[in-house]
Amino acid sequence: MDVFRLGLFLLITVAGVSAELQPLNAAVLRGSEARFNCSRTLTSSVMTWTVNGVLVVTITEASGVLNPTERFSVTNFTTPGNYKWEFTIRNVQRNDTEVGCQLTNEGIQRATLSVQERGSVEIVGGNQTKAEGAQADFQCRAVGWFPEPSMSWSVNGAEQSCNRSSVTEGSVFNSSCTLTVTAIRNSSVQCLVTIPALLTPESNTAFLTVNKITKRDQTVLIAITVAFSAAALLFLIIYGIVFFCLRRKKKSGYQEEIKRAQVQAQNRTPASQNVRGRDNRGYITDGHDGHTTDGVWFTNFNRPQNLDEFFEEGPRKHRHMTLV
């Protein structure tokens, strides 16, 4: 039983003094700084720092910091009851992928370092002007990023997702996505690109200007259309009235001409002269008075087929034989 208690005490004591490395995963931009903290409750005689398995800094109680460089350095943040050092890597490179901290008689603690690259953000074509209701396409390009970036759009502050397409060029990614907007009102269109190493996304902004047809313009257009239509209708009405009057006048003149011709015909052959042979001035007797057995007369009126024939050809003579 005493042996068990002693083993448990040693296990708790070792766990209490083991080193703690923070953070275990770090993402930084290439060329920037990366910082790691290694600490424990008890003072250690020796602390070592490695990068990709290579020893770069050593700290001892007797000699202090050994072999510091401009790129690799440490800072002491030790307080009573907390033995703590901060390790700094300046101008980090893509091949700086692992950081290790080891204390005397303990295993090494390792952290992963992700060195990322920030590229450029561009909205192809920039600002656009569209008629109201038209479609506007905005294309965003993210060039020279690592790892493959996340991309999104913001229209007047409202975030919208987009379908991203990417290609690799060497060790970086070139990505793009397109946004389609209906031109309803003037808008601010922003492309957002980010990677884990960035605290805030990189962005580029373009503006959509909408040309609207104002109510005043519509009123003028309607007024012009109505005025033109009214003028055309008035012209058609006047033309119809004039045409109708001319046609009616022509028809009335023709009827009056017929009546006049009939009156003239009646005047030439009076109905009161109903004497035998005298109702036709072309009548010729056979030479016997009172007992005419036959006679010949000329008819000076033959009903024409039309008035023109009547006036142009004049009276026609016809010979008839009459037996009494």
Side-chain angles (χ1 to χ4, degrees), residues 11 60 93 124 154 189 271 297:
L11 181 61
T60 66
Q93 301 299 314
V124 180
S154 175
V189 180
W297 68 89

Side-chain angles (χ1 to χ4, degrees), residues 38-189:
C38 189
S39 63
R40 74 172 184 172
T41 57
L42 299 177
T43 302
S44 175
S45 57
V46 179
M47 176 184 286
T48 59
W49 289 90
T50 60
V51 175
N52 297 335
V54 179
L55 178 64
V56 292
V57 176
T58 301
I59 306 170
T60 66
E61 284 187 301
S63 303
V65 180
L66 303 177
N67 305 321
T69 63
E70 183 179 353
R71 187 162 182 257
F72 304 109
S73 63
V74 291
T75 304
N76 190 1
F77 288 97
T78 299
T79 60
N82 186 26
Y83 181 69
K84 180 179 180 179
W85 288 80
E86 183 181 72
F87 175 60
T88 302
I89 306 175
R90 295 180 177 86
N91 191 24
V92 293
Q93 301 299 314
R94 289 282 297 274
N95 58 356
D96 298 331
T97 58
E98 183 187 87
V99 174
C101 173
Q102 187 174 19
L103 300 175
T104 305
N105 300 325
E106 294 182 7
I108 188 170
Q109 304 294 314
R110 293 183 175 86
T112 301
L113 177 61
S114 174
V115 180
Q116 305 178 2
E117 295 197 35
R118 174 175 53 193
S120 61
V121 181
E122 176 192 10
I123 296 180
V124 180
N127 301 333
Q128 295 189 36
T129 300
K130 295 290 184 179
E132 186 177 10
Q135 299 291 323
D137 294 328
F138 291 89
Q139 184 184 27
C140 182
R141 284 184 181 177
V143 179
W145 291 76
F146 181 84
E148 186 178 5
S150 298
M151 303 181 70
S152 62
W153 288 93
S154 175
V155 180
N156 295 326
E159 189 169 346
Q160 299 186 20
S161 61
C162 72
N163 295 323
R164 178 190 60 201
S165 61
S166 300
V167 295
T168 56
E169 184 176 342
S171 60
V172 296
F173 289 88
N174 296 333
S175 304
S176 65
C177 70
T178 301
L179 172 71
T180 300
V181 179
T182 301
I184 299 176
R185 61 189 176 113
N186 295 340
S187 302
S188 171
V189 180

Side-chain angles (χ1 to χ4, degrees), residues 245-272:
C245 291
L246 291 176
R247 186 178 180 87
R248 185 174 182 181
K249 183 177 180 181
K250 184 176 179 181
K251 183 176 181 181
S252 176
Y254 180 74
Q255 292 176 347
E256 290 179 358
E257 192 68 27
I258 292 176
K259 290 180 180 179
R260 188 166 51 250
Q262 291 176 348
V263 170
Q264 291 177 355
Q266 291 176 359
N267 291 335
R268 290 180 180 179
T269 311
S272 60

